[in-house]
Amino acid sequence: MGPKMRMTTVTSVTELSPHMKRIIVSGDDLKDFPEDKKSAHVKAIFPDPNSAHKTPKLGLYFGFKKWMRSYTVREFNKERLELTLDFAVNDHKGLATNWAVQAKPGDKLGIAGPGEPKHTNLQEDNHLFFGDITALPAIAATLEQLPASAKGKAWIQVPTELDKQSFIAPKDIEINWLVTPNKLTDKFLNAFAAEPEDLMHTAIFIATEMSIVKQLKQHLQTHCNYDKKKLYASAYWDMKK
Ligand SMILES: Cc1cc2nc3c(=O)[nH]c(=O)nc-3n(C[C@H](O)[C@H](O)[C@H](O)COP(=O)(O)OP(=O)(O)OC[C@H]3O[C@@H](n4cnc5c(N)ncnc54)[C@H](O)[C@@H]3O)c2cc1C
């Protein structure tokens, strides 16, 4: 049996910042959507932009993956059956981004999943987060779930000052905004290199463009003592694709 697929309808579209759109989808199909998956990803299923009816086709048919992209569960409100997804709208064109740019209430979106939350351990002694704007929803959703006593640092790349967001985070988690339109910035690596080499008691979250993820993992492997079980590292997109 494949993943459960649900049909939803857009109920609201908000411009959170110049490069981020918040889209809330709702519908009866979300009745059994699990409540504890904030920060996990779903596969959003988009309609063929060239089809007349603009409704995504659900199901496991030949080529179905072409219409799917990964997005993070920013919030899920069980009472209202509302799922909140934040879409980075950068300068690139793509099925998901083009859809988000034009989305309006009443539009249909398919949802498969969710997967599991990404951060390896909310209770770890120390936390490090590295992510670009596509990982901002996952980082914010995770920070909101850490215990108030949590310690650590987050580095988040956004294209402009106006793309900084406020969210709830423990007071001893230092948030560092890397404001640059350069999505392949070396500021992540510089920040990582300035951290202590002993990371055995640190939960590490890395989610950005593939080559940057590779760079940061290489730094970890060559310079740090760390516990593989406490590392989440994932390419959220690939410049070479
Ligand atoms: C687990 C997971 C969770 C994710 N959660 C989110 C989320 O909550 N919000 C979010 O915005 N994204 C998220 N992403 C990233 C998102 O899935 C990708 O950015 C996706 O490729 C966008 O699809 P698209 O159809 O717009 O572009 P595609 O059709 O996939 O790609 C088209 C072109 O655009 C380039 N491209 C793709 N994304 C970007 C980008 N961000 N900046 C510049 N160029 C890009 C590709 O390299 C390609 O050349 C997540 C990814 C993963 C793996």
Side-chain angles (χ1 to χ4, degrees), residues 81-132:
L81 298 181
E82 284 181 346
L83 175 65
T84 301
L85 306 174
D86 289 349
F87 287 73
V89 284
N90 272 330
D91 45 10
H92 78 284
K93 303 254 180 284
L95 175 73
T97 307
N98 296 352
W99 178 89
V101 166
Q102 297 183 8
K104 55 183 187 322
D107 287 357
K108 299 289 181 194
L109 184 69
I111 297 289
E116 291 306 315
K118 307 301 178 199
H119 200 46
T120 56
N121 185 4
L122 298 177
Q123 310 300 330
E124 192 49 68
D125 292 353
N126 193 52
H127 304 266
L128 288 179
F129 296 86
F130 300 89
D132 67 10

Side-chain angles (χ1 to χ4, degrees), residues 7-12 24-33 35 75-84:
M7 186 64 81
T8 66
T9 305
V10 173
T11 52
S12 102
I24 299 181
V25 297
S26 185
D28 283 349
D29 278 9
L30 293 171
K31 267 185 186 148
D32 61 351
F33 192 88
E35 269 182 289
E75 288 288 348
F76 176 60
N77 183 321
K78 184 91 179 165
E79 271 164 39
R80 297 170 62 94
L81 298 181
E82 284 181 346
L83 175 65
T84 301

